[in-house]
Amino acid sequence: MSTTHSERLRGLLEPLVSANGLDLEEIEVSRAGRRRVLRIVVDSDDGVDLDACAELSRTISTALDETDVMGEDEYQLEVTSPGADRPLTERRHYVRAVGRLAKIQPHEGDEFVARVLAVDEEGLDLEVPGVKGRKPTARRVEFASIAKARVELEFNRKDKKEEEA
C-alpha cells in the first residue's frame, strides 16, 4: 500500500473510528487471490465487542462506497479487534495491559515475563514472578529500553474477586 493510499485511507477512517469511541490501531491492505482484503484493527480501553465491529463495518463500508479510495477492484472489508497476544507498541497498549502478564524484550539484557502493575509517562512498574518458591520482585522499565513487548495469555489465572474471597 503506497504512502499516499495509506494516508487517504487513514484520513477517511480515523474520524469514523473515533466517532465510535474507538482507536484506529492498524490498516492493512493485502491480496487474497484476485481480491484485496482491507483489514482495519480497532481497540478501546474497554475492549471491542462483535456488535461494535459490525456497526463500524457498516459505517466504513458506506463511506468507502461514497469515495474512490479503494479504486474499482473488488475488496473484502474486515473490521476486527487486536488479538489477545498482540504487540504492545503504544503507551495506551500498556495501560490496557495493567494487571496482565507481558513478555518484555529489552534492548539490552534477557527477555523476561512480568505482570504490569502501573504505567506512567516514562515507563512501567512490573512484578516479576518468583521462581522456585521465591517471592515476586518489583521492577521498573522505561519505555525507551523496551525493544519488544507482548501480552502473555494466562489460562489458569484467578479473577481478583476470587483471590479476595
Side-chain angles (χ1 to χ4, degrees):
M1 182 167 57
S2 71
T3 303
T4 305
H5 187 230
S6 176
E7 289 169 357
R8 287 184 65 207
L9 273 171
R10 185 164 289 280
L12 175 68
L13 300 175
E14 201 141 35
L16 299 174
V17 172
S18 294
N20 280 275
L22 302 170
D23 296 320
L24 180 60
E25 295 291 342
E26 184 179 346
I27 301 170
E28 177 187 325
V29 178
S30 60
R31 284 262 175 219
R34 294 181 185 176
R35 291 187 185 163
R36 293 176 296 162
V37 176
L38 172 59
R39 182 172 294 113
I40 300 164
V41 180
V42 296
D43 202 5
S44 79
D45 291 343
D46 300 321
V48 181
D49 63 20
L50 189 57
D51 291 337
C53 285
E55 182 180 327
L56 183 59
S57 180
R58 287 187 291 274
T59 302
I60 289 172
S61 180
T62 300
L64 289 170
D65 288 347
E66 293 172 355
T67 69
D68 67 341
V69 73
M70 288 301 292
E72 297 297 318
D73 294 340
E74 289 183 29
Y75 67 92
Q76 178 179 335
L77 175 62
E78 292 180 7
V79 177
T80 186
S81 61
D85 63 344
R86 65 117 177 254
L88 303 173
T89 57
E90 304 282 335
R91 181 184 176 278
R92 68 178 180 263
H93 298 162
Y94 291 98
V95 170
R96 293 173 185 157
V98 168
R100 300 189 67 188
L101 283 179
K103 183 182 283 189
I104 299 175
Q105 173 64 56
H107 289 292
E108 294 180 16
D110 294 330
E111 182 176 76
F112 64 95
V113 175
R115 188 162 311 280
V116 180
L117 299 177
V119 179
D120 58 33
E121 296 302 317
E122 287 82 36
L124 315 168
D125 291 324
L126 304 168
E127 179 183 76
V128 180
V131 179
K132 296 183 182 176
R134 293 189 180 129
K135 291 187 177 191
T137 56
R139 184 165 178 181
R140 173 75 183 172
V141 176
E142 304 298 319
F143 289 126
S145 70
I146 299 173
K148 289 193 280 186
R150 173 178 305 276
V151 168
E152 284 286 287
L153 297 179
E154 292 180 84
F155 296 107
N156 60 353
R157 180 169 181 219
K158 292 181 181 176
D159 189 10
K160 282 185 180 182
K161 291 178 185 171
E162 289 178 30
E163 290 174 2
E164 292 171 359

